[in-house]
């Protein structure tokens, strides 16, 4: 029963696809011969479209049965850039329809993979505030001029890189003078990441200068940012230092960017002790309070708390202790506080707990009952006994109040688990 019905549905879908492909091919042949006929849907739209009355020309209308040249209704047209552009009611719609049908035929017949692919470097990228930028300079709003490159066959390069031997050497040689174009291409960026993984870093170091001067463009690209991350992960610190050098002066903007935050996080993870990265982070630390609350910036602060120097961690903790309630109640700041509690020294943990409990019993109870606040309180309960004893004592005073909300009940559950572990440790 069921499998027969499934086979019937699959057969009907295949027949429908074949009819669509045949219809698209027939339309292409008709358009090539100039015999294209409007579809019933197009005719229906033309009937419903209101007719625009042409302005009176001041000439006396010809009442004879024949149609003069002046009385013929011609579609409006214009010239733009030296080219004749028709703005008739059907021309633009039909052209768009033909392009879509041609694309559907190519996808159905597998004709989209060509040995050469033309790519245009563009960096329309959305920031975490919803704005789009199209700029190569972080301080300028001037549009980037599109530059086209002819790329080698990415599938062939990938196959040769995986094969090894002479094929890999030939593929790496073909990457020369194509690094930038490949980095900004959807498939080309994967080729470069594979080349960085399987090729000796000394060979790749000779090709990376092609990306110098384009790091800011790359971090705004949904494809090239992965190439920059792979360079930071796999290349020696000295070879990747140009990335931090080009980002100098724009650390805050990069940290708040959808893709830029990834670049800074990789720099902190793999080259935090590097001179250029250290200077870039020192530029960023004064704005830690702002970044803790940003949608993408808080990831960078978390990386600094995990992989940064002790002095950098202390500076971030100073910012958090200055106004703990403000960060605990923020949906991004609560994640930063959890990272600070996990990676900062015990002295800083004790300092943060004292400041948080000093805000008052009512405020702490309200935090434990809220979504973001309960997340932080549960993280405090997972601290060693010496750090969590004060939190245990405060929560035991407000057990009944915590039962009111579901987040408070989760805190109570973690409290019981923490107290049970504490009793087992004392018994042992």
């Amino acid at each position: 029963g069921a499998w027969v019905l499934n086979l019937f549905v699959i057969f009907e879908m295949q027949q429908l696809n074949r009819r669509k492909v045949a219809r698209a091919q027939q339309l292409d042949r008709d358009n090539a011969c100039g015999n294209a006929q409007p579809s019933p849907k197009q005719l229906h739209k033309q009937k419903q479209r209101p007719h625009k009355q042409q302005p009176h020309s001041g000439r006396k209308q010809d009442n004879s049965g024949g149609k003069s040249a002046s009385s013929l209704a011609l579609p409006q047209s214009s010239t733009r850039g030296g080219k004749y552009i028709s703005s008739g009611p059907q021309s633009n719609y039909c052209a768009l329809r033909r392009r879509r049908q041609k694309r559907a035929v190519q996808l159905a017949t597998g004709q989209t993979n060509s040995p050469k692919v033309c790519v245009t470097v563009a960096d329309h990228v959305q920031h975490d505030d919803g704005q789009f930028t199209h700029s190569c300079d972080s301080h300028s709003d001037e549009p980037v001029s599109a530059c086209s490159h002819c790329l080698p066959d990415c599938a062939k390069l990938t196959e040769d890189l995986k094969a090894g031997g002479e094929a890999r050497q030939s593929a790496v040689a073909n990457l020369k003078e194509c690094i930038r174009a490949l980095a900004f291409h959807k498939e080309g960026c994967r080729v470069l990441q594979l080349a960085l993984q399987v090729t000796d870093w000394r060979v790749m170091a000779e090709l990376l200068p092609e990306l110098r001067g384009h790091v800011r463009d790359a971090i705004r690209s949904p494809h090239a940012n992965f190439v920059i991350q792979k360079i930071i992960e796999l290349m020696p610190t000295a070879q990747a230092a140009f990335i931090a050098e080009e980002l100098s002066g724009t650390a805050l903007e990069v940290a708040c960017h959808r893709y830029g935050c990834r670049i800074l996080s990789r720099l902190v993870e793999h080259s935090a002790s590097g001179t250029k990265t250290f200077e870039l982070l020192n530029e960023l630390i004064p704005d830690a309070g702002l970044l803790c609350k940003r949608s993408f910036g808080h990831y960078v602060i978390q990386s600094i708390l995990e992989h940064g120097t002790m002095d950098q961690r202390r500076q971030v903790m100073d910012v958090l202790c200055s106004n703990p309630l403000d960060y605990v109640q923020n949906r991004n700041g609560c994640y930063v506080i959890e990272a600070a509690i996990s990676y900062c020294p015990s002295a800083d943990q004790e300092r943060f707990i004292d400041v948080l409990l000093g805000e008052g019993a009512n405020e702490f109870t309200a935090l434990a009952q809220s979504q973001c606040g309960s997340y932080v309180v549960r993280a405090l309960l997972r601290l060693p006994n010496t750090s969590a004893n004060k939190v245990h004592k405060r929560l035991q005073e407000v057990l009944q109040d915590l039962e009111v909300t579901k987040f408070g009940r989760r805190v109570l559950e973690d409290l019981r688990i923490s107290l049970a572990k504490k009793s087992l440790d004392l018994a042992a």
Side-chain angles (χ1 to χ4, degrees):
W3 65 272
V4 174
L5 179 61
N6 291 335
L7 288 177
F8 178 76
V9 172
I10 294 174
F11 176 77
E12 289 295 330
M13 293 178 64
Q14 291 177 349
Q15 292 293 333
L16 180 61
N17 291 334
R18 291 192 185 99
R19 286 194 293 268
K20 288 182 178 180
V21 172
R23 173 61 180 169
Q25 293 175 346
Q26 182 63 34
L27 286 176
D28 289 341
R29 289 193 293 268
D30 293 342
N31 292 331
C33 298
N35 300 325
Q37 298 293 331
S39 64
K41 185 176 181 180
Q42 294 175 3
L43 292 174
H44 180 68
K45 288 186 176 180
Q46 292 178 15
K47 291 179 181 179
Q48 291 183 344
R49 186 180 292 109
H51 177 68
K52 294 183 179 180
Q53 184 177 0
Q54 298 293 334
H56 196 273
S57 61
R59 297 181 180 179
K60 184 177 180 180
Q61 298 294 329
D62 187 5
N63 296 326
S64 61
K67 295 183 180 180
S68 62
S70 59
S71 63
L72 292 176
L74 298 176
Q76 298 179 357
S77 62
S78 61
T79 56
R80 186 179 303 167
K83 297 181 179 180
Y84 180 84
I85 301 177
S86 175
S87 59
Q90 185 181 351
S91 59
N92 293 337
Y93 177 80
C94 292
L96 180 60
R97 183 183 179 89
R98 286 194 298 271
R99 286 196 296 269
R100 290 177 177 174
Q101 291 171 345
K102 184 177 180 180
R103 179 64 176 171
V105 173
Q106 291 177 348
L107 291 175
T109 57
Q111 298 177 357
T112 55
N113 293 329
S114 58
K116 290 286 185 178
V117 182
C118 291
V119 62
T120 301
V121 177
D123 49 341
H124 258 117
V125 176
Q126 184 181 10
H127 294 261
D128 62 347
D129 55 359
Q131 298 294 327
F132 285 83
T133 58
H134 191 203
S135 170
C136 60
D137 189 357
S138 58
H139 298 288
S140 174
D141 292 328
E142 294 297 327
V144 177
S145 59
C147 51
S148 300
H149 302 273
C150 286
L151 297 179
D153 187 2
C154 295
K156 183 67 166 58
L157 288 176
T158 302
E159 181 181 354
D160 293 343
L161 288 171
K162 292 180 178 179
E166 295 182 356
R168 178 179 297 174
Q169 295 177 1
S170 175
V172 173
N174 290 333
L175 295 179
K176 191 175 182 180
E177 298 182 358
C178 296
I179 294 294
R180 182 190 174 194
L182 287 170
F184 287 86
H185 188 253
K186 179 180 179 180
E187 300 296 335
C189 69
R190 296 187 176 95
V191 174
L192 286 185
Q193 293 177 69
L194 178 60
L196 288 166
Q197 291 176 350
V198 302
T199 309
D200 184 63
W201 68 268
R202 298 175 184 85
V203 178
M204 294 302 300
E206 299 177 358
L207 303 178
L208 293 185
E210 297 183 27
L211 291 176
R212 291 182 179 270
H214 305 288
V215 173
R216 296 187 184 183
D217 295 343
I219 66 174
R220 293 178 174 84
S221 168
H223 311 303
N225 79 88
F226 290 104
V227 178
I228 300 298
Q229 292 182 64
K230 193 64 67 173
I231 293 173
I232 297 171
E233 294 174 4
L234 300 178
M235 298 296 290
T237 303
Q239 303 298 328
F242 74 96
I243 297 175
E245 182 178 358
E246 292 190 24
L247 297 181
S248 178
T250 61
L252 178 61
E253 179 184 355
V254 174
C256 294
H257 192 272
R258 181 182 300 272
Y259 308 130
C261 65
R262 305 175 186 176
I263 307 300
L264 289 180
S265 296
R266 300 295 88 78
L267 285 173
V268 176
E269 294 170 5
H270 297 277
S271 61
S273 58
T275 303
K276 298 298 182 181
T277 303
F278 186 78
E279 295 175 355
L280 189 65
L281 295 181
N282 286 340
E283 176 187 341
L284 197 65
I285 291 295
D287 297 311
L290 173 63
L291 294 174
C292 288
K293 301 178 182 180
R294 298 301 293 269
S295 300
F296 304 113
H298 78 275
Y299 293 113
V300 180
I301 300 299
Q302 288 178 245
S303 298
I304 293 175
L305 290 170
E306 183 176 359
H307 303 283
T309 63
M310 295 300 298
D311 183 62
Q312 292 170 347
R313 296 177 184 177
R314 181 187 56 78
Q315 294 182 57
V316 175
M317 181 58 80
D318 291 341
V319 173
L320 296 177
C321 291
S322 63
N323 190 1
L325 291 179
D326 191 21
Y327 298 104
V328 171
Q329 296 172 344
N330 184 270
R331 64 174 184 173
N332 298 318
C334 63
Y335 295 111
V336 176
I337 291 177
E338 184 194 19
I341 293 171
S342 302
Y343 301 110
C344 286
S346 57
D348 289 336
Q349 296 174 358
E350 292 281 356
R351 179 161 62 105
F352 179 79
I353 292 175
D354 293 338
V355 174
L356 186 62
L357 295 178
E359 296 290 341
N362 295 333
E363 286 76 5
F364 186 79
T365 303
L367 286 178
Q369 294 175 334
S370 64
Q371 182 177 3
C372 298
S374 64
Y375 186 83
V376 174
V377 174
R378 294 169 66 187
L380 294 175
L381 291 174
R382 293 191 292 267
L383 292 175
N385 292 334
T386 55
S387 301
N389 286 338
K390 298 178 182 179
V391 181
H392 291 168
K393 183 178 179 180
R394 178 61 62 84
L395 290 177
Q396 289 174 354
E397 297 174 357
V398 292
L399 292 178
Q400 296 181 352
D401 296 335
L402 296 179
E403 293 284 355
V404 177
T405 65
K406 65 176 182 179
F407 302 110
R409 290 191 290 270
R410 294 175 184 175
V411 172
L412 280 179
E413 183 179 354
D414 286 6
L415 176 61
R416 296 188 184 100
I417 295 174
S418 180
L419 292 175
K421 290 181 179 180
K422 181 180 179 181
S423 62
L424 291 176
D425 294 339
L426 293 175

